[in-house]
Amino acid sequence: MVAVLGACRGSQAVGPAGQATRTVDPGRVDPAFQGEWDAVQAAHEKDPSGPAVVEAADRLLARDPPLNLRLAAHQLKANANLERGDYAAALASARAGLDEAAKVRAQGTDLAPPERELAEDLGRTRALAEAEVGDPQAALQAIAAATRGDRGSDLLAATARARERLGDRAGAALAYAQWREVVPDGSAPAALAEARMREQWRGLDATALEDAARKAAGTAAAQCLLVRAGRSAPAGAPAWVSGCQLASTGGPPRIGLLLPRSGKFAGLADVQLAAATAAVRVLAGPAGSSLQVAWQDAGSSPAEAKQAAAALLASGASVLVGPVGPGNVEAAAEVAAASGGRARLVVPGEGAGQVVGVAPTLEARAAALAQAVGRANRTTAVILAPDNAYGKRAVAAFEKSLPKMGVKSLKSIYYPPNTTSFSKVLDPVRSSLKSAAVLIPDQLGRVELVVRQMVRDGVVIDRPKQPGVPVLSTAEGCSPEAIGAGHEVLEGVLVAPVGWETPEAAGFTEAYTAMEGSGPPDQAWLVYRAVAQAWAGAEAAPPPAAAVLRVESGRFVATESAVSLTPAERPQGR
């Protein structure tokens, strides 16, 4: 389920935000702006969805470059935000670029060929973002305008989402089936498309399904809807089409996934669905193909999460995995409790009350990092944290733990959560950084921006064979990609992640990597552990102990003998 929602790239991307990274060519670059444009390209090549792309594009736009570079900068910003699942920001950037092009056209001036191409790309990006957060009717119009003969999987997914938001369930079911038709069997996009089309056709009669199928006559998508309406699958139809018939009752357990496709947590949905799919395959072994995994959008509010949980229970789910966010978790827990023990809820995060969680608490992770500061014999510490609820909770935890580890001088600095340039943030502590331990509880991508600024200021980061300043972080959003090639500046940074690879789960790493093309990020590990916990049917168990790992040669290595990252030998036949 993808960047449907952010954080996916290239072949991993499967939803509206998951279009493959597109080349942005502005044509001739005015030499006066070559340096700024090179910086934008470098940031994009390193990480197309990274905050550094937005930062570099804003620097270029601030200099009021020619139209072609303005359009290119807006498109790169829009793409970066789209891949991260920040649809509102993507929509704003796409509209800003389209407004620039419209002003020129209104003056009777034709756009140059590269500018026309950029305007078309901006229109496509606007359509994808509009489908998620804008006017769904306008989104369908934008999708139609952006379609040039081919309807790629990204536009098909966006069409389905827009029709779903419009309440056109038959049209949404068809669009999801059309999306399913063009994505690979066994992929996370395939699982998401099948789950969503089943939810859309719930309660639709045969006439409605047949009417929708006529709009795509002769396609596998139409065959699926006709099979659902009661017809037999034609000879030679894809295997997934036969699965569109009414499901029989009984059989293997049905896992209900409460994943956030809309709202502030939407960027996690792609990773979570892929992780759940891989987890089921690994845990169930050969029988996994017969298991059903149902999905519901947990939304952005407790009311939506409660409604989604109830829908999953009504569909026969006996185990609920998710959702994300304290209020949403409480709402889903209320629904599970009302089932009289028929359903179990496990959340891919910290537990709350009677709800089983699979992640160490933020306070436990802060305490583990504080112990690492103590081992480094630092008596001075600087905390750099985002000015939001997460940052304040992390700072409070550090301020409680660090003095116990011998830290006598402690300074905390907050910065706006969307900060991309840290030179001014570091001004108050720049002179003391070289003798302090620096703790940064934040997303790993933003931690990297801080470390880059420190290196530019001449600070040497502590490494096993290079004494320097210890840098420690909670590293939210860490993944093999985020510490791999192009992120060498993170070498030596100590992290206490919320989820990481464990020896007994080598099979999950293999399954997820085969599906997505890269190793599991922290959120995928949380989903795997949640599904494993739910699968085992165990009573509430304590979350795993927080572990401090070190970034070394593009991978994580253990810093304590009690922590092992070496894959265990897997049982025969698995």
Side-chain angles (χ1 to χ4, degrees):
M1 176 172 188
V2 208
V4 223
L5 306 148
C8 273
R9 298 169 180 78
S11 63
Q12 298 179 53
V14 300
Q19 58 180 332
T21 301
R22 303 168 73 85
T23 301
V24 176
D25 181 9
R28 179 184 178 276
V29 177
D30 187 326
F33 301 92
Q34 187 68 56
E36 288 80 0
W37 174 245
D38 287 345
V40 175
Q41 284 189 305
H44 178 259
E45 289 173 2
K46 176 184 173 184
D47 183 356
S49 65
V53 175
V54 177
E55 180 187 13
D58 282 338
R59 286 199 299 268
L60 174 60
L61 290 169
R63 289 199 58 204
D64 193 23
L67 177 63
N68 65 328
L69 291 181
R70 295 202 303 275
L71 295 181
H74 284 303
Q75 173 62 357
L76 286 167
K77 282 181 62 178
N79 273 345
N81 288 315
L82 192 70
E83 290 195 17
R84 275 203 307 275
D86 189 349
Y87 301 117
L91 185 56
S93 294
R95 285 175 173 171
L98 291 170
D99 286 346
E100 297 258 18
K103 289 176 184 177
V104 172
R105 285 169 168 152
Q107 296 171 356
T109 303
D110 290 334
L111 298 180
E115 294 165 351
R116 286 199 301 272
E117 183 75 21
L118 288 167
E120 290 174 354
D121 285 345
L122 283 162
R124 186 183 187 96
T125 303
R126 177 218 160 175
L128 298 175
E130 190 98 56
E132 291 291 340
V133 297
D135 178 352
Q137 191 62 58
L140 291 173
Q141 295 172 356
I143 291 168
T147 301
R148 294 181 293 177
D150 69 278
R151 295 185 69 196
S153 64
D154 53 355
L155 290 178
L156 287 170
T159 300
R161 178 61 175 150
R163 293 203 173 281
E164 181 179 355
R165 293 177 61 217
L166 274 173
D168 177 10
R169 294 174 57 209
L174 174 62
Y176 279 120
Q178 290 174 311
W179 181 26
R180 173 62 184 91
E181 186 173 354
V182 300
V183 297
D185 293 341
S187 66
L192 174 59
E194 291 178 17
R196 292 312 303 145
M197 69 187 184
R198 286 191 170 91
E199 294 302 328
Q200 294 307 306
W201 68 37
R202 186 188 302 277
L204 294 180
D205 60 24
T207 299
L209 292 167
E210 290 171 354
D211 287 344
R214 277 193 285 271
K215 298 175 182 177
T219 66
Q223 293 170 355
C224 169
L225 266 59
L226 292 174
V227 167
R228 179 67 184 182
R231 302 190 189 183
S232 299
W240 68 270
V241 169
S242 299
C244 296
Q245 62 189 351
L246 286 169
S248 59
T249 59
R254 181 177 175 88
I255 293 181
L257 303 177
L258 280 166
L259 306 184
R261 167 127 187 210
S262 57
K264 62 182 179 180
F265 299 114
L268 304 176
D270 57 327
V271 169
Q272 289 185 333
L273 182 76
T277 303
V280 167
R281 291 177 182 174
V282 171
L283 294 168
S289 59
S290 66
L291 290 162
Q292 294 189 31
V293 178
W295 177 88
Q296 273 285 344
D297 180 8
S300 58
S301 69
E304 291 172 320
K306 189 173 184 178
Q307 182 179 9
L312 286 173
L313 291 183
S315 73
S318 57
V319 181
L320 301 182
V321 174
V324 178
N328 292 353
V329 169
E330 291 178 7
E334 181 181 340
V335 174
S339 71
R342 182 171 59 84
R344 187 185 313 112
L345 175 67
V346 183
V347 296
E350 297 182 19
Q354 299 299 313
V355 177
V356 178
V358 296
T361 66
L362 181 56
E363 287 73 17
R365 294 156 64 199
L369 291 172
Q371 291 174 0
V373 172
R375 290 193 291 271
N377 296 316
R378 296 289 170 139
T379 59
T380 301
V382 172
I383 306 172
L384 304 170
D387 190 6
N388 54 22
Y390 171 89
K392 292 175 181 177
R393 180 183 168 194
V395 168
F398 281 127
E399 290 178 343
K400 180 179 179 180
S401 299
L402 286 167
K404 300 176 183 178
M405 296 297 120
V407 172
K408 296 179 172 57
S409 176
L410 177 60
K411 185 174 182 61
S412 300
I413 294 179
Y414 291 102
Y415 51 81
N418 60 350
T419 300
T420 55
S421 177
F422 285 89
S423 181
K424 292 182 179 180
V425 174
L426 293 176
D427 278 345
V429 295
R430 187 170 271 112
S431 61
S432 61
L433 283 182
K434 293 184 179 181
S435 61
V438 180
L439 299 109
I440 314 167
D442 203 345
Q443 292 287 325
L444 186 58
R446 192 162 291 109
V447 173
E448 182 175 346
L449 296 179
V450 178
V451 175
R452 288 189 180 281
Q453 183 60 54
M454 292 173 62
V455 172
R456 284 194 289 267
D457 291 341
V459 176
V460 177
I461 307 303
D462 188 61
R463 300 176 182 176
K465 297 181 180 180
Q466 175 184 283
V469 175
V471 176
L472 309 93
S473 176
T474 50
E476 310 297 349
C478 65
S479 68
E481 281 189 331
I483 62 173
H487 303 276
E488 289 79 7
V489 73
L490 293 172
E491 183 84 3
V493 172
L494 298 176
V495 303
V498 71
W500 64 96
E501 183 169 8
T502 48
E504 81 285 355
F508 172 69
T509 300
E510 294 174 8
Y512 186 94
T513 302
M515 180 183 297
E516 292 295 283
S518 63
D522 56 0
Q523 294 298 319
W525 281 107
L526 292 182
V527 171
Y528 169 75
R529 288 176 178 154
V531 173
Q533 175 88 333
W535 193 279
E539 297 298 326
V548 177
L549 315 176
R550 184 176 63 250
V551 179
E552 186 175 295
S553 300
R555 60 190 181 91
F556 287 134
V557 299
T559 62
E560 305 170 65
S561 58
V563 177
S564 174
L565 303 180
T566 303
E569 183 176 349
R570 288 158 52 205
Q572 293 293 324
R574 293 290 297 277

